[in-house]
Amino acid sequence: MILIVAEHTAGKLAKSTLEMVTAARDSGREGPITLLVLGQSVAGVATEAASVADQVLVADLPQLATYNAEVWAAATAQIAQEGEAHTVIIGGSRSGREYAPRVAVKLDAPYLEDATRLSSNGAALQAQRYTYLARVTETVEAEGPVIVVTVKPGSFAPAGAAGVAGDQYDVELTLPAPRVEVTGKSVEKSSRVALTEADVIVTGGRGVGSPENFSRFVEGLADNLGAGVGATRAVVDAGWRPYAEQVGQTGKTVQPKAYIALGVSGAVQHLSGMGKSKNIIAINKDAEAPIFKVADYGIVGDLNEIVPALIEASKR
Amino acid sequence: MNILTLVRQVPDAEARVKINAQQVDLEGATLVIDGMDEYGVEEALRLRESGAAVEQIIALAIGPKRNEDALRTALAMGVDRAIHVETEDRFDAVTLSRVVAQIAQTENVSLILVGGQEADWDSQALGAASAERLGWPQLTWTNELNIDGETLTGRHDVDDGNETFRATLPAVVTTQQGLNEPRYPTLPNIMKAKKKELRKDDPATYGLQARVRTVNAEIQTRARLNRMIDGKDPQAAAQQLLELLRSEAKVIA
Ligand SMILES: Cc1cc2nc3c(=O)[nH]c(=O)nc-3n(C[C@H](O)[C@H](O)[C@H](O)COP(=O)(O)OP(=O)(O)OC[C@H]3O[C@@H](n4cnc5c(N)ncnc54)[C@H](O)[C@@H]3O)c2cc1C
């Protein structure tokens, strides 16, 4: 069977789970698609999961109320073994890529990380993935009785409901005690669309000039376009914007329909997080700025003049 | 306590990546110690400087001969000695974690520091896989770290924000921006580093077998339109851009 560990938040199945179902269907691997739901009070999630999978395995336990790498790895490996899964698919979220390697080691399985495409080639499972700060696309492959894969969010279309709902089964687990104690948590909240979900993103770089200008220009334009707000690391390091908004190697990876970069130079570490956007629009006063090399539309000019005009013209 | 800090050698961010015979070819590229790993090296040094009972800081690189340069940089920054498992073969992170785990054991290490995602394989797996082999807990994407006796505290990024944590050594920590600002090696330290031990280990000792094969590699850039709009007349430029976004790219209503 193909085992997928469902991702869910606030009692709802995450879009990434539906993407993983598509990845499983695309993979050319045979057998029933099984969703594993780990958590507490997850009956609703399990029912949602049943609409897209052949079967759903549910572990509804207080020990699973919050995510922990060692616990998630143990649960996933145990179910993979008991169910004789030949393919284990885990989300390419921060947490997924944190515990998936542990699952691979536990199962003595090869690990294909952060796949953007999956296919079978005889006994081998092939995955495409980005390397070298997303400048290179590599195809890698592995064989074995079981293979562990993580799937990059946003790379597969979300699966639609299957004709018949899959059956649900409760599973028993032997779980380790978590050894990392969480002593505090700060959740990123934004009144705007989440960066990873946004169709349009307006990002400000150091060229925006000041935190005040950032609010005026970047947030101003984003509000008119119903867009998410992003920032470069230079802006985050300067303390103008929260880290939650950072796009790039050490920030978020985004793939919106339109990415509008204001006063952003286009360093490779930044490009690695946004270079796969469908349309890239750049406004920069330096005609030689590297961002123009990846731009679909570029305006060479002073953003202090152009952005107010854009905001005015885009008023709804 | 001994700290193991992992060092990969990667192309400089500005270097052009070349493909030859469907594989990445680093011949002639400027190679540097990975930026994320550098945070790990720096953090090991800072933990010692802040008074933690650090006996030895050991840097480890696995890769071709040229990786000596990255290890020399780490030695010049201040690590005590280096181990180089010299191999031309390319291994995936989960396979390499075997080496890390074995060396951590033989060198009596209780803290491993490694970059959250290095700039060559774009993988986050080495820290976690090493932790699993050793049976240790892990803290990933760490941007604040303190040690008091055997207790680690700090802060790290998670899916929906960040958390403060407490854990007990031994542990694996993967590093992230914000943790520190790596120092530059000074000339006297570069000279001193030449005399420090750089031990060569035979890869055969570790019985490595690559589990993931690279079939091919491509520079796959999306063809971009590169339509430039003159910004001299801001109003006209703004109108033109919005028009393109509406009618051609169809991304706004
Ligand atoms: C390990 C590591 C990880 C990193 N991770 C990230 C990451 O995740 N995300 C990230 O963004 N960076 C990251 N970086 C940093 C990256 O290398 C760059 O330093 C950063 O992206 C630069 O940000 P910037 O473009 O805002 O600033 P700058 O490079 O200073 O560029 C500012 C731009 O604004 C333009 N400008 C100035 N004034 C105006 C004006 N009035 N009108 C129009 N244009 C103007 C300038 O021409 C320039 O091109 C990382 C670096 C390292 C070493």
Side-chain angles (χ1 to χ4, degrees):
Chain A
M1 72 175 189
I2 302 178
L3 182 69
I4 300 173
V5 186
E7 292 194 320
H8 55 91
T9 43
K12 303 262 312 163
L13 207 59
K15 192 164 126 217
S16 57
T17 306
L18 302 175
E19 294 171 3
M20 286 191 271
V21 171
T22 304
R25 291 178 186 163
D26 283 4
S27 70
R29 307 279 277 179
E30 283 169 10
I33 294 178
T34 306
L35 276 177
L36 171 62
V37 179
L38 302 172
Q40 189 182 22
S41 310
V42 288
V45 176
T47 306
E48 252 188 279
S51 71
V52 290
D54 297 315
Q55 51 181 354
V56 179
L57 307 178
V58 190
D60 200 328
L61 298 168
Q63 301 101 289
L64 297 174
T66 53
Y67 162 79
N68 172 279
E70 291 177 84
V71 175
W72 253 242
T76 307
Q78 188 190 325
I79 298 298
Q81 260 157 349
E82 286 172 4
E84 296 178 6
H86 52 67
T87 314
V88 179
I89 302 181
I90 294 171
S93 56
R94 198 158 261 177
S95 55
R97 291 174 78 185
E98 174 179 75
Y99 76 87
R102 297 191 84 117
V103 176
V105 171
K106 279 183 196 292
L107 298 175
D108 192 23
Y111 175 44
L112 303 177
E113 182 173 9
D114 217 22
T116 57
R117 208 179 281 177
L118 284 178
S119 60
S120 290
N121 180 19
L125 180 61
Q126 287 199 332
Q128 269 192 2
R129 62 183 307 268
Y130 302 132
T131 54
Y132 293 88
L133 292 174
R135 288 176 286 180
V136 176
T137 304
E138 287 192 307
T139 304
V140 292
E141 65 173 25
E143 283 164 45
V146 52
I147 301 171
V148 177
V149 185
T150 49
V151 165
K152 190 177 184 67
S155 306
F156 293 84
V164 247
D167 291 328
Q168 296 184 35
Y169 306 93
D170 288 326
V171 291
E172 309 244 317
L173 291 171
T174 318
L175 299 172
R179 287 182 291 178
V180 173
E181 186 194 340
V182 177
T183 51
K185 177 151 179 139
S186 124
V187 176
E188 295 167 352
K189 270 198 221 94
S190 170
S191 51
R192 294 190 173 78
V193 246
L195 276 181
T196 44
E197 309 263 320
D199 277 342
V200 180
I201 292 173
V202 182
T203 285
R206 186 151 44 194
V208 168
S210 66
E212 295 73 34
N213 281 355
F214 200 104
S215 301
R216 226 173 97 211
F217 296 148
V218 184
E219 296 191 282
L221 184 59
D223 286 342
N224 283 7
L225 300 176
V229 167
T232 64
R233 172 166 177 178
V235 159
V236 174
D237 280 352
W240 299 356
R241 301 302 294 182
Y243 170 67
E245 289 178 1
Q246 184 178 313
V247 172
Q249 182 199 6
T250 38
K252 295 208 163 64
T253 301
V254 298
Q255 248 175 311
K257 288 192 185 135
Y259 189 89
I260 306 177
L262 310 177
V264 172
S265 59
V268 282
Q269 293 95 347
H270 187 74
L271 298 185
S272 94
M274 49 62 82
K276 312 290 181 218
S277 301
K278 197 144 183 250
N279 290 279
I280 296 174
I281 299 103
I283 301 179
N284 196 306
K285 68 176 182 193
D286 174 9
E288 301 298 316
I291 189 81
F292 285 129
K293 295 208 174 66
V294 301
D296 294 290
Y297 304 104
I299 303 183
V300 179
D302 187 344
L303 64 87
N304 294 295
E305 294 166 6
I306 293 159
V307 181
L310 259 178
I311 291 175
E312 191 51 44
S314 62
K315 258 192 195 141
R316 291 186 291 188
Chain B
M1 131 173 100
N2 293 337
I3 301 179
L4 184 65
T5 148
L6 306 186
V7 168
R8 282 186 75 77
Q9 195 189 34
V10 302
D12 180 77
E14 305 309 322
R16 278 261 312 259
V17 184
K18 272 187 312 191
I19 305 284
N20 204 344
Q22 304 203 337
Q23 304 290 336
V24 173
D25 178 6
L26 296 179
E27 193 59 44
T30 312
L31 299 170
V32 295
I33 176 169
D34 181 85
M36 293 271 218
D37 287 343
E38 219 175 355
Y39 295 135
V41 172
E42 176 66 32
E43 196 60 17
L45 300 171
R46 289 195 188 201
L47 287 171
R48 169 142 75 191
E49 287 159 5
S50 74
V54 179
E55 269 156 59
Q56 286 219 326
I57 302 171
I58 308 158
L60 167 66
I62 310 163
K65 176 144 180 47
R66 56 175 182 258
N67 284 23
E68 282 170 18
D69 296 342
L71 287 172
R72 287 284 169 213
T73 305
L75 288 167
M77 286 173 75
V79 311
D80 301 307
R81 59 194 175 87
I83 302 171
H84 184 194
V85 180
E86 195 178 316
T87 170
E88 290 291 331
D89 294 333
R90 193 180 145 160
F91 294 104
D92 58 279
V94 172
T95 299
L96 284 192
S97 68
R98 283 181 192 279
V99 180
V100 177
Q102 284 179 55
I103 289 181
Q105 273 164 336
T106 52
E107 300 293 339
N108 203 15
V109 161
S110 44
L111 175 64
I112 297 176
L113 292 163
V114 53
Q117 174 166 324
E118 289 98 342
D120 54 349
W121 53 15
D122 288 16
S123 166
Q124 302 179 4
L126 187 54
S130 303
E132 178 65 33
R133 290 200 195 276
L134 289 158
W136 295 359
Q138 76 205 50
L139 292 146
T140 55
W141 296 99
T142 308
N143 41 30
E144 188 190 311
L145 189 66
N146 313 291
I147 295 188
D148 184 5
E150 297 287 294
T151 306
L152 278 182
T153 53
R155 191 184 60 226
H156 72 146
D157 292 326
V158 294
D159 281 335
D160 56 350
N162 62 70
E163 285 174 355
T164 52
F165 60 77
R166 184 182 294 121
T168 306
L169 292 172
V172 175
V173 169
T174 84
T175 53
Q176 145 79 322
Q177 111 184 33
L179 184 59
N180 56 47
E181 212 37 72
R183 68 196 64 190
Y184 288 104
T186 58
L187 192 58
N189 284 341
I190 294 172
M191 302 313 288
K192 258 195 256 168
K194 297 207 161 108
K195 298 205 192 72
K196 290 183 180 171
E197 178 189 292
L198 197 165
R199 185 180 98 204
K200 294 279 180 174
D201 269 12
D202 180 358
T205 338
Y206 299 98
L208 297 180
Q209 239 186 329
R211 302 288 292 278
V212 176
R213 283 186 300 276
T214 306
V215 180
N216 76 36
E218 288 173 85
I219 308 273
Q220 234 187 27
T221 42
R222 191 191 283 271
R224 295 289 174 186
L225 297 175
N226 295 120
R227 297 263 305 257
M228 298 306 286
I229 301 166
D230 192 344
K232 282 198 197 76
D233 179 346
Q235 263 74 28
Q239 283 297 350
Q240 207 184 332
L241 177 62
L242 284 177
E243 192 43 42
L244 287 169
L245 290 179
R246 269 191 207 107
S247 59
E248 253 184 71
K250 298 193 170 56
V251 285
I252 55 171

